[in-house]
Amino acid sequence: MSKTLVVYLMAGPETPELARAAEAGGADLIEIGFPFSDPLADGPVIRRAAERALAQGMRTAECLECLRAIRGQVAVPLVPMTYSSLLEAYGWERFASDAHDAGATSLIVADLPVDVQPELRRVQLLAPTSTDDRIALAAGRTDGWLYLVTVAGTTGARAELSPALAPLVERTRALTDVPLYAGFGISTPEQAAAAGALADGVVVGSAALVAAEGGTAALERFVGQLRAALV
């Protein structure tokens, strides 16, 4: 059984077309970044994409409309990824409801601890620094899968897969049967294959955005290379 491939794209006028290309390349799930002016977890590539999206007028309402447009173009699950300040300003329940109505299948809030706003159903994140107690709590509250952050730092391409992933997977598997998808720093088919050998799926963000800068054909080709590596 092949591993799950999650591709990250930033919300913007061109994103529905890019999402269609990502799906054609073999993406199983697409994360849609809702830009935020101070994205603490994000490296330079995603920061630039967020700045560009904000300059294009992509505020929360516009991002939700973009999500709705993407939903009309692809069949794979769509998961918005953003920060708690955006939801605080928009309204927690209102955002969850509006995102669902626009076609979201779940939600990721990068800076929201598992025990804050526990009523908000979302994919929980784990880091190499997570304790076993936090892992168990996150596993019990996550929505469908756990996002394993492979490094203690920001997103972005790296030269090699983090050595912290294997022990994090081992500790998490001892506590839950929830699917584990690894992200942060996975940028090549070789790294995707190595991460996929450990986890149930991989998340590719910065490298996908770089590929998307070359247009839909370049993105589809890159996603296809990742898909071929995840056997």
Side-chain angles (χ1 to χ4, degrees):
M1 181 178 179
S2 64
K3 304 298 177 120
T4 297
L5 174 57
V6 182
V7 172
Y8 174 98
L9 298 171
M10 183 65 68
E14 72 288 350
T15 311
E17 188 177 2
L18 290 170
R20 196 164 62 246
E23 182 183 47
D28 300 299
L29 184 153
I30 299 174
E31 283 184 30
I32 305 298
F34 279 34
F36 178 57
S37 58
D38 189 23
L40 298 177
D42 292 323
V45 172
I46 294 181
R47 281 178 177 268
R48 283 198 306 270
E51 289 168 1
R52 186 164 57 247
L54 290 170
Q56 292 171 323
M58 298 302 296
R59 303 301 187 263
T60 303
E62 287 75 17
C63 289
L64 288 167
E65 284 307 306
C66 177
L67 176 65
R68 190 182 306 277
I70 297 167
R71 178 75 289 158
Q73 296 288 328
V74 304
V76 296
L78 302 175
V79 179
M81 182 172 185
T82 191
Y83 288 82
S84 56
S85 292
L86 186 151
L87 273 71
E88 183 74 40
Y90 192 85
W92 298 96
E93 292 183 8
R94 179 186 172 208
F95 185 92
S97 175
D98 288 357
H100 179 269
D101 289 347
T105 51
S106 190
L107 175 66
I108 299 172
V109 188
D111 61 343
L112 191 64
V114 62
D115 46 4
V116 178
Q117 295 288 335
E119 70 284 352
L120 182 69
R121 288 292 293 173
R122 60 193 188 271
V123 175
Q124 300 289 347
L125 291 89
L126 295 174
T129 53
S130 298
T131 65
D132 286 356
D133 285 346
R134 299 296 281 190
I135 290 173
L137 182 62
R141 292 184 177 176
T142 201
D143 188 14
W145 50 282
L146 283 167
Y147 193 138
L148 302 188
V149 177
T150 65
V151 294
T154 59
T155 61
R158 287 170 170 80
E160 58 186 25
L161 189 66
S162 170
L165 177 58
L168 178 58
V169 169
E170 183 178 3
R171 288 198 298 127
T172 306
R173 286 208 193 281
L175 295 166
T176 182
D177 293 328
V178 171
L180 312 178
Y181 300 167
F184 283 50
I186 298 171
S187 55
T188 67
E190 293 76 19
Q191 290 172 352
L198 297 168
D200 301 300
V202 302
V203 184
V204 179
S206 296
L209 290 179
V210 171
E213 290 175 358
T216 55
L219 177 62
E220 182 176 345
R221 184 165 55 250
F222 175 65
V223 174
Q225 292 168 349
L226 296 170
R227 176 76 275 161
L230 289 171
V231 294

